[in-house]
């Protein structure tokens, strides 16, 4: 049995973010520039420094992905996502909704992707830290872990990688919370982020607009809740196969952004 899951560029960017991606930060999509307003830079740095200092957290988000049909009509898909992190080597990310129903598990040794609808899972030995495991997933398995970039200590550098300009829009209210609204332009994407004002500068909303796809589709992330003092146990990050679940292999397909899997013991 073969199964291929094709990701267009926008969806790949979205997944790289995905979740706490609530803040949704796509790797390599942004960059540093001298033409960023000091007010915007200060707010973004404060958010990144605050996130880097969190030893553990969980976040729940509602995500919306736009797809542009050949006719030019836009279709939206909703995909809620949850992220749980315990540094330095525990990570769990869940995506549900119209397009996927998948959970990533990482407990310091193995990286596992469980596909609930098919009752299939694939696992691979991974490096001993979250950041190394996310790099491994992206570079070796062609997988984009939801919210992965938020875990990096240098998330500011990742965000600013391709930015050409940015400015401070002003104060705004998101979900009843006063936020700093920032807007950035990059070579491939424009993006906006809303960061909670005060002593906990958490991302509350994030929008990415593609500039290299017809119709300029967007990926939007709205944070439902943050928990900065979650109660985790080993079962949170340890994958236990459900009844009758089948193990599969990670398979890369030529040079495109394709993730494939083939059930063990079956012929292509």
């Amino acid at each position: 049995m073969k199964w291929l899951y094709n990701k267009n560029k926008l969806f790949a960017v979205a997944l790289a973010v995905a979740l706490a991606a609530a803040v949704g930060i796509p790797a390599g999509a942004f960059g540093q520039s001298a033409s960023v307003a000091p007010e915007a830079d200060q707010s973004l740095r404060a958010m990144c420094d605050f996130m880097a200092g969190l030893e553990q957290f969980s976040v729940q988000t509602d995500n919306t992905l736009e797809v542009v049909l050949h006719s030019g009509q836009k279709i939206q898909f909703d995909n809620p996502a949850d992220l749980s992190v315990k540094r330095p080597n525990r990570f769990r990310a869940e995506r549900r909704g119209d397009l996927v129903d998948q959970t990533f598990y990482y407990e310091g040794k193995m990286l596992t992707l469980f596909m609930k609808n098919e009752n299939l899972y694939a696992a691979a030995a991974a490096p001993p830290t979250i950041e190394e495991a996310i790099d491994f997933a992206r570079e070796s398995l062609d997988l984009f872990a939801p919210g992965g970039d938020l875990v990096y200590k240098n998330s500011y550098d990742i965000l600013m990688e391709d930015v050409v300009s940015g400015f401070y829009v002003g104060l705004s209210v998101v979900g009843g919370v006063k936020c700093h609204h920032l807007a950035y332009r990059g070579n491939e994407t424009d993006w906006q982020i809303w960061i909670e004002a005060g002593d906990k500068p958490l991302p509350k909303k994030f929008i990415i607009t593609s500039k290299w796809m017809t119709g300029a589709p967007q990926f939007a992330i709205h944070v439902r809740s943050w928990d900065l003092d979650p109660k985790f146990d080993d079962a949170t990050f340890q994958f236990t196969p459900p009844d009758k679940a089948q193990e599969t292999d990670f398979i890369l397909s030529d040079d495109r952004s394709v993730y494939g899997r083939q059930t063990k013991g079956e012929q292509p």
Side-chain angles (χ1 to χ4, degrees), residues 4 13 21 31 34 42 47 49 53 75 94 102 104 133 161 173 261-262:
L4 288 181
V13 169
Q42 180 180 356
M47 182 201 77
D49 290 344
I75 303 296
E94 302 174 64
Q102 300 176 340
F104 289 79
E161 187 177 324
V173 176
R261 62 177 183 264
Q262 178 178 320

Side-chain angles (χ1 to χ4, degrees), residues 14-25 59 61 63 81 83 146-148 150 206 219 221-223:
L15 296 187
V17 165
L19 196 336
V23 117
I25 301 170
V59 61
T61 67
N63 310 320
L83 178 68
L150 291 177
F206 190 83
F219 179 71
I221 300 166
H222 293 77
V223 176

Side-chain angles (χ1 to χ4, degrees), residues 130-147:
I130 293 174
E131 293 178 333
E132 292 174 313
I134 293 172
D135 286 341
F136 166 75
R138 182 180 295 137
E139 296 166 7
S140 300
L141 303 179
D142 200 24
L143 292 177
F144 294 82

